Every structure is written in structure tokens, then in C-alpha cells.
Amino acid sequence: MTVAPADDRVGEADGGTTAVVFPRTKFHRPPARDEHVPRELLLDRIDRSGARMLSVTAPPGFGKSTLLAQWAATREDPARSAWVSVDADDRGARLWAAVLAALRPVLGDALDDALRASTAPDADLRDDVLVALLDALAATDEPVALVLDDVHVVLDDQRTRSSVDWVLDRLPDPHAVALGSRRTADLRALGRRRVRGELFEVRTDELRFDRDESAAFVRDGLGLDLDDDALDVLGDRVEGWPAALYLAALRVRMGEPIAELLGGSLGRGDEELFGGLADEVLASWPPHHRRFVREASILPRFTADLCVRTLGGDPDETRQAFRELTRTSLLLIPLDRGRTWFRCHHLLRDVLRGRLEDEEPERARELHVRAGAWLESEGGESELYEALEHYLAARSWEPAAELLATHALRLVGFGVLAARARDWLARFPPELRHRDARLAYVAALVAAVDGDRAGRDAWLSSGAEAGWDGPMPDGTASYALAADALTALVCFDDVGTALAAGARVLDALPRAAPARSAVEAATAWHELLRGHLDAAEALAYRALAGQELLPAVGLPLVGPLSAAVVALVALDRGDVDVAAGYVADAETALQHGPLRTAPQALPVVAARARLALVHGRSGDAVLLCRAGLEHARGWRDPSLMVPALLVELARACTAEGDHDGAAEALREARERVDPARDPGALRASIAALPAGRQVRAAGSGAELSERELDVLRALAGSGSLRDVAAGLRVSHNTVKTHARTLYAKLGVASRADAVAAGRELGLLGRGGRP
């Protein structure tokens, strides 16, 4: 796993983009700090238990993360431990994308396919991701430990909980998993592990500091010289709660006499106690420091510059508070080694943010808007997502809609972030989505990515009715032109309409427009479907050239789709060397982009298969096509890419001598193409290919393939089905399958009836013998 240095985020894996952006710190276990108390007795009990499952459950502030970090550090090989700090939006495939990204440094490229599948819009989570993860773990005998901290934030989602349960139930030996949660994880797998003695559970009472641990924490960790009596009183008051003890001792460290602290009104309990202690700590700070921490609590992470922009007021005072509060790392925790990004202690942040939003809702909204504006103007792509979250939290619909529409094509990325875009749209009021042309356009884009033509057209109509004057936020000259661009990018089953829209867009868009290359690439594919090779080739070349001129990386479909079109045109003309070069370019672009398992990958597969066929490797061509189609199973194909690949499969099967396979591929292609509004030249391509030698069974309307005729003739002999299989050099099951199909086509129910029908139809030769 490599890390994008510009924004300190995980965004790429060797061989392809994960298409999900995570903070680097998501995968770092909390570092050991001076005030941490080693839980040696508890760790020794865990180790002696031999359990491969560890569950740590307690309210906030009881040291769950610290214990899990110490457990991971004391493993036989700490380098083979992976850490994931689970966030509330890590649901479904996104959670497993994070797990795979965390495990990749340990297990290497064995996880690459699963990592890519975890970001594919239509991948099957269990079959494509979880099975691959378990297989990779099963393939190594060296123990791997995985920690999922704060897993409770996603277990209320049924699909996510089921996937975690399923993996834990099948975790292979000798690997281990540890879960940190604020509430009991309702997982059946843990119950079964508990019965088998394979689960070690740590709960609140086991995490409470005893007297010795409290003394070590206060004296050795925080450097406070408290006598035994004071420690005993303080321990009794906070009831062993590490966070409460921490804040109480911090007050002493800041100069409050221990007698006054112990004589005060320290409360008891859990969250309520922490809130009271937080008030006491904040009360001892200068006013500006208190305001800083209270208002910075709305920021999940922050820098000094972000705080200056967000909090307003005197920038020198804000920077001074930032420096003083981050110097101790007690309440503001660094997220990187350069100590640029920080966050509030999560307990303090939760309390203060809740109070700010309850007591000063307008100020909280103002802070969200300011934070969003800074992140939008100063950050990278990952900060755009955070900016949008701030705008939505503030219910500031205007900048949120503007930001989303400005970057819609890039954010959605044709499948990469479509799920997140759906979530963002859902947070706008429903009536606003229909009356704001910008939001209707984004909704149409998401529907197009999902393969939903009716949804795309309905949202485009809503946007047109809402009205929009002037350029769209992304710079497109008008709403009508943006709608045409979307129609040109995704043709569904109407090549003519897409080509007409593409012509209008290319006439209007300037050469430097970011969307132009994408429209050229899509239009090149549609011209190829129509059989216009010269036009397809010219557009594909222009798309590739335009992509190189863009100041930043364009849409991910341009490189692989354009190169595949050039390669297919070259193969039609017999320019094999040219085709080979562009097939290699297409593969490279696909590997380093997010569309490896998306429909837009199929033209690249088609080009690879056609090239293999030209080189006489028909078997390889068949395998390539079948693998591509397997990925496409269940897709709502947006641009006739599946039937185009089925045609390539039919060609390869014919060359391989598999006439049944060719016939089946063409049958499926016809089923997809026949109801199409305008499939270009695909109908003619299908009709031009031989579907294998076939004989029509008179009176039945059915056709017998050559292989089925061979089976019928063999059945007319005296041997058993196993003898027939041996004679035809196929498996027993294959013969049974062909026989059942044969009986159905002839309208019979037995072998004898099939032979009799074959004689009547003249299919068995003279005398009815083979």
C-alpha cells in the first residue's frame, strides 16, 4: 500500500487505485505514550487463554484502544498486525476495503483482486471480496492479527454486521482478530467461539484501574507526586475510570491543589462524569483556549491554518492557543509525524461538539460553513469530501449543491464513488433535489452510472423543468449541454441518440474542457459499434491527445476505452503491431485506474481477446472473454459492451472448434441486442457469424447442435451412458446434460424415444445406426 503524499491519505494500491480514500492514520495503532499504563496482568491472561478472538467492550475512556494496541504490540510478530480504526461510514464493502488496505502490507499482492473488487459498484461482497480475503489468510501459516477498533459504529447496519459475522465464523487458523466496541457486539460467531473456548472477553470492570495502576498512571505517566492517601481518595471518586482519572490529575498538573480537587464535587458515573470533569478542566484555561477547543470540536481533524480560517477572530490568538494546546498532546492528539494535523481527544470532542450544537446552533453552522470553504479551496480531492460533509452538516444547501455539481464527474468517477454520491444526495431535502437543476444533474449522473436509463432520463427532465441560466458549476456552457454530455457518455441501447448528443457536445465544448476527452472516448466506442472505423479511430486518437493536455488527471474511462477502440480498429485492418501496442496501453491504463472490474473494462477485454485470436491463441481468447463476462454478471450494461464481448467470444469459440459455445454466445448476444432501440452494427455482426453446424428437428422448431447430433447417434448404439461418454471423450455428466437438452428439443422423455424420433426425422443415417 502506498500513500498519497499530497494529502497524507491512502489512495492507491500497487496495480490499481482502490477508489476509496482513507486517512493514513486509519491504519496506525495508537502509539505508546508516557502516561499509558502497561496492562501486563491482563495481557498475560489473554495470552495464556490461547483464544484467537479478543473482544474488548466498555464505554468511552476506559482504554479499549490502548489495550488493543498493547495486545498487537506483544504478538509474536508485531509487524504482522493490522489496525483499522472503524468510522461511521465504513459500511458494507467500504469496511472491507479498509481491512484489505490494512492487511496488504502483511499479505502483499494476494489481496489486490479483492481490494479492487471491494470498490467495484456491482461486485458481490461475499464471493468477490470476503472469500478472497479468507483464502489469502488460509494460504499463510504465519499468524496475522487484525484489530477492528470502534467496530460498534457500523454494526447497526445489517449487511455490515452479517459480513463481519460471516468472516469471524470462518477465520482460518492460526490467525487472530480483536474487536474494540462501546457496546456488546451482537455477533453469533462470537457466541460460537465462546462456547468452544476460543473467545477472550474484556469488559468494563476488567479495564478499571486498580490502585497500583492508578499510582503508575498518575506518578510515572503524568509525573505527579501524590501520596497514597490522595491516590486512594481520587481512585475511589473516579471508580477506576482512566479518562476521569486522567482529567482529574490534569487539573492538579495545571496547578489546582489536590485538597481542593478532592474536596470538590467530582461526580460519579460514566459519560456524565466525563462531562463534569471536562467542564472543570476547561474552566481552568484562559477564555480563548476554552473557545478554541469548544469550537474546534466540530472538526474531525484540523491544522493551524484550518482553525484560523474556521474560528475567525484574532489569528495570532488562535495560533497561540493551537501551539500551547498541541504542545502537550494531552487533549489535542497529533495525526502525523510532522505534527501538522491534529484532532481533539475524541471524548472531549464529542461532549463539546454536542454542547456547541445544542447551545449555539447558529454558531455551529457558521463554523461548519467556514471549515467547508477552507477545505474546498485549500485541500486536495479527499478534502473536497470533508468540505461537502461540513456544508451538509450545516444544512447549507447552496454551497453543498455547487460543490457537488462542480466536481460531480470527478467525484462519481463512473462507478468509483457512486454509492457515496447517492448518500450525499439523500441528505438534501427531496423537494430541493427536484427543483435544483444542479442536484438533478448529479442524480442523473448517478443513475447513468448505475445503468438506470429511466432514472437518468427522469432526472434530466426534472433538471430541465427546474431551469438553469448560464454555465453549469463545472464550466459547461448550459444545462442542456451538460445533459447532452451525459447522454453521449452512456448510450445504453441507443447508439444513434448517443452519437447525436456527442456531436452537439463536441461542437460546443472547447478543446481544454475536462469532459471533452471523455465524450470523445465514449463517442469513439459508439462509432465502432456502428461500424464506422475511420470516425471511431479519429475520435479515440483525439481523446488520448486531449487527456495528455489536461492539467490534472481526467476521467478514468478515457485511457483504457480510447486505446481499446484504436486496437480493435487496427485489428479490423490487419495492423497487428499497432494493435498490440494499444492493447498494452489499454491494459496499463485499466490497471492504474478504478474501472478494472467495471463495464468500461470490457472493450479492453475484447481487444485482448481479438489480438490473442489473431496470434492463433483461440483458447486464451475464450478464457479472456469468459472471465470478462463473469465479471459482468448482473450488470445493467450501460453501453452495449456485454453483447460486443459476446460476439468476440463467439468468434473465439468458433476458432477453437467449440460450435456449441459459439451458438450459446450468439444466442445470448441476440437476446440482449434484439430489443435494443439502436444497437449499431451489432445485429449484422451477430448474423454474419456461423453459429456452428445445426440441424432443425422437423416439427419442433428446435435446433440440434453438432454435439447433440453426435450424442443422439451414440445413444442409438448399445452402450451405457458411460460408454457413450468414453466414445465421445467427454465426461459422464456432460453426456447427461446433452441428453437432457436433446430430449427436451425432441419432445421425448427417454433414450429409446429419442432414438425413435431421430430415425423418424432422418437424423441417424441409413438404418438408424451411427
Side-chain angles (χ1 to χ4, degrees):
M1 175 65 61
T2 60
V3 178
D7 59 2
D8 213 23
R9 293 257 170 155
V10 173
E12 297 178 354
D14 296 340
T17 300
T18 67
V20 180
V21 182
F22 296 113
R24 185 200 303 250
T25 48
K26 188 179 187 69
F27 307 109
H28 286 183
R29 63 175 181 259
R33 291 165 52 178
D34 291 341
E35 65 267 28
H36 285 170
V37 176
R39 312 302 293 265
E40 295 173 350
L41 293 177
L42 185 53
L43 291 169
D44 183 61
R45 287 174 53 205
I46 296 170
D47 183 61
R48 286 188 286 106
S49 74
R52 293 192 301 114
M53 295 279 177
L54 172 61
S55 173
V56 183
T57 307
F62 274 88
K64 298 184 295 297
S65 299
T66 301
L67 177 65
L68 292 169
Q70 292 175 356
W71 173 80
T74 56
R75 300 285 298 170
E76 183 177 346
D77 183 359
R80 293 184 65 79
S81 298
W83 182 283
V84 177
S85 296
V86 182
D87 296 314
D89 61 345
D90 291 338
R91 295 170 183 265
R94 182 179 170 87
L95 171 65
W96 295 105
V99 170
L100 293 164
L103 285 170
R104 194 178 184 280
V106 179
L107 296 177
D109 56 11
L111 297 178
D112 278 358
D113 288 342
L115 189 57
R116 296 186 189 100
S118 69
T119 65
D122 295 305
D124 184 271
L125 177 60
R126 182 172 295 183
D127 293 345
D128 298 337
V129 179
L130 303 185
V131 170
L133 168 60
L134 293 176
D135 287 346
L137 289 170
T140 177
D141 294 330
E142 298 181 68
V144 173
L146 171 64
V147 178
L148 298 179
D149 195 20
D150 285 337
V151 71
H152 63 277
V153 299
V154 296
L155 291 183
D156 58 340
D157 178 69
Q158 176 61 41
R159 181 168 180 250
T160 305
R161 184 171 65 251
S162 296
S163 67
V164 173
D165 214 348
W166 194 83
V167 170
L168 294 182
D169 210 25
R170 292 159 177 79
L171 184 73
D173 290 334
H175 310 300
V177 170
L179 306 176
S181 177
R182 291 188 182 183
R183 56 181 180 270
T184 301
D186 183 20
L187 298 170
R188 287 174 294 180
L190 295 184
R192 287 189 283 268
R193 298 278 183 180
R194 184 184 299 113
V195 171
R196 298 198 293 263
E198 298 175 352
L199 172 67
F200 193 97
E201 296 177 274
V202 178
R203 298 188 180 276
T204 303
D205 286 344
E206 294 163 295
L207 288 172
R208 295 184 189 278
F209 278 168
D210 59 23
R211 186 181 184 282
D212 291 338
E213 289 170 331
S214 295
F217 177 74
V218 172
R219 291 170 176 167
D220 300 335
L222 297 178
L224 295 177
D225 186 18
L226 300 185
D227 61 36
D228 291 344
D229 291 339
L231 278 174
D232 289 342
V233 174
L234 183 58
D236 289 341
R237 288 292 185 90
V238 301
E239 296 182 299
W241 186 14
L245 180 62
Y246 175 86
L247 288 178
L250 184 59
R251 284 175 56 180
V252 177
R253 188 176 181 178
M254 299 172 106
E256 183 172 353
I258 184 65
E260 292 183 18
L261 174 66
L262 297 179
S265 56
L266 289 178
R268 296 176 180 268
D270 293 337
E271 300 259 8
E272 184 177 352
L273 169 62
F274 183 86
L277 283 174
D279 285 340
E280 295 295 329
V281 171
L282 294 176
S284 64
W285 288 352
H288 192 76
H289 288 57
R290 295 200 300 270
R291 184 180 72 83
F292 178 95
V293 177
R294 176 182 170 92
E295 296 190 343
S297 66
I298 66 114
L299 301 168
R301 61 180 191 133
F302 50 81
T303 65
D305 289 340
L306 175 54
C307 289
V308 168
R309 175 73 171 271
T310 301
L311 273 57
D314 185 340
D316 291 335
E317 281 189 359
T318 300
R319 290 188 185 278
Q320 180 185 4
F322 179 89
R323 285 194 299 271
E324 293 178 1
L325 291 170
T326 58
R327 187 178 297 123
T328 63
S329 295
L330 293 175
L331 294 175
L332 302 186
I333 300 168
L335 297 176
D336 56 10
R337 292 178 181 177
R339 297 177 64 84
T340 300
W341 286 92
F342 287 79
R343 67 167 175 84
C344 283
H345 187 289
H346 66 274
L347 298 174
L348 184 68
R349 182 194 66 202
D350 293 346
V351 169
L352 297 182
R353 178 172 178 169
R355 290 178 180 175
L356 179 67
E357 292 176 342
D358 289 342
E359 298 168 7
E360 299 181 75
E362 290 304 319
R363 177 60 174 167
R365 283 194 284 272
E366 178 187 4
L367 294 172
H368 277 300
V369 171
R370 288 182 174 183
W374 186 91
L375 290 163
E376 181 181 357
S377 63
E378 304 296 330
E381 182 169 314
S382 60
E383 277 72 33
L384 293 178
Y385 313 148
E386 293 184 51
L388 190 56
E389 291 290 343
H390 279 293
Y391 289 144
L392 292 172
R395 299 177 63 82
S396 186
W397 309 127
E398 173 60 30
E402 187 75 6
L403 174 61
L404 186 55
T406 299
H407 302 283
L409 280 174
R410 184 151 55 101
L411 292 177
V412 174
F414 287 92
V416 178
L417 292 173
R420 178 170 280 191
R422 278 192 294 273
D423 293 340
W424 287 327
L425 284 167
R427 292 167 65 181
F428 288 92
E431 67 279 4
L432 183 61
R433 296 199 297 270
H434 285 278
R435 70 169 187 262
D436 189 310
R438 297 167 298 182
L439 296 178
Y441 169 75
V442 177
L445 174 60
V446 172
V449 169
D450 288 343
D452 179 6
R453 179 175 59 197
R456 180 199 67 178
D457 294 345
W459 280 112
L460 288 178
S461 295
S462 290
E465 292 172 4
W468 183 264
D469 294 328
M472 290 288 283
D474 64 0
T476 306
S478 66
Y479 177 85
L481 189 60
D484 273 342
L486 186 50
T487 303
L489 286 168
V490 183
C491 81
F492 292 106
D493 65 351
D494 192 347
V495 171
T497 297
L499 287 172
R504 292 192 295 271
V505 171
L506 296 178
D507 281 343
L509 279 183
R511 184 69 253 171
R516 184 181 179 94
S517 293
V519 173
E520 286 172 338
T523 305
W525 169 251
H526 300 149
E527 289 284 14
L528 185 67
L529 290 177
R530 195 167 65 168
H532 293 182
L533 302 188
D534 291 343
E537 182 182 50
L539 282 163
Y541 277 130
R542 284 207 293 270
L544 291 171
Q547 182 90 332
E548 293 176 359
L549 296 175
L550 291 178
V553 176
L555 293 176
L557 68 86
V558 176
L561 183 57
S562 301
V565 169
V566 172
L568 288 166
V569 171
L571 287 168
D572 274 345
R573 293 173 174 164
D575 297 332
V576 178
D577 291 341
V578 171
Y582 278 95
V583 166
D585 290 347
E587 288 186 88
T588 300
L590 194 62
Q591 289 286 344
H592 292 282
L595 302 178
R596 179 182 172 84
T597 55
Q600 289 79 7
L602 296 190
V604 179
V605 177
R608 292 180 64 195
R610 183 94 62 88
L611 183 63
L613 194 58
V614 168
H615 284 303
R617 302 195 312 274
S618 56
D620 291 346
V622 170
L623 292 175
L624 285 167
C625 292
R626 292 197 186 282
L629 291 167
E630 185 62 31
H631 277 305
R633 192 176 302 280
W635 285 342
R636 289 192 284 184
D637 177 20
S639 282
L640 295 170
M641 290 170 176
V642 170
L645 187 58
L646 284 165
V647 170
E648 296 298 332
L649 175 60
R651 288 193 180 103
C653 287
T654 300
E656 186 73 357
D658 180 7
H659 300 296
D660 289 347
E664 177 61 23
L666 291 177
R667 181 195 62 76
E668 186 176 348
R670 280 194 296 271
E671 287 180 355
R672 290 174 175 266
V673 166
D674 284 348
R677 298 179 183 180
D678 177 5
L682 278 175
R683 286 196 185 101
S685 297
I686 294 169
L689 286 173
R693 290 183 294 137
Q694 297 175 326
V695 177
R696 184 169 298 278
S700 70
E703 293 179 340
L704 302 187
S705 68
E706 182 180 8
R707 176 57 75 185
E708 289 164 352
L709 281 172
D710 291 340
V711 171
L712 178 60
R713 290 164 184 152
L715 290 175
S718 59
S720 66
L721 285 183
R722 293 193 181 277
D723 295 332
V724 170
L728 294 175
R729 298 182 180 180
V730 296
S731 71
H732 183 219
N733 286 334
T734 298
V735 166
K736 289 198 296 184
T737 299
H738 283 306
R740 284 195 296 269
T741 304
L742 182 65
Y743 295 169
K745 288 183 176 181
L746 293 175
V748 299
S750 69
R751 176 175 178 175
D753 290 342
V755 172
R759 291 195 185 103
E760 291 177 8
L761 295 171
L763 303 179
L764 294 178
R766 183 173 296 177
R769 305 296 298 168

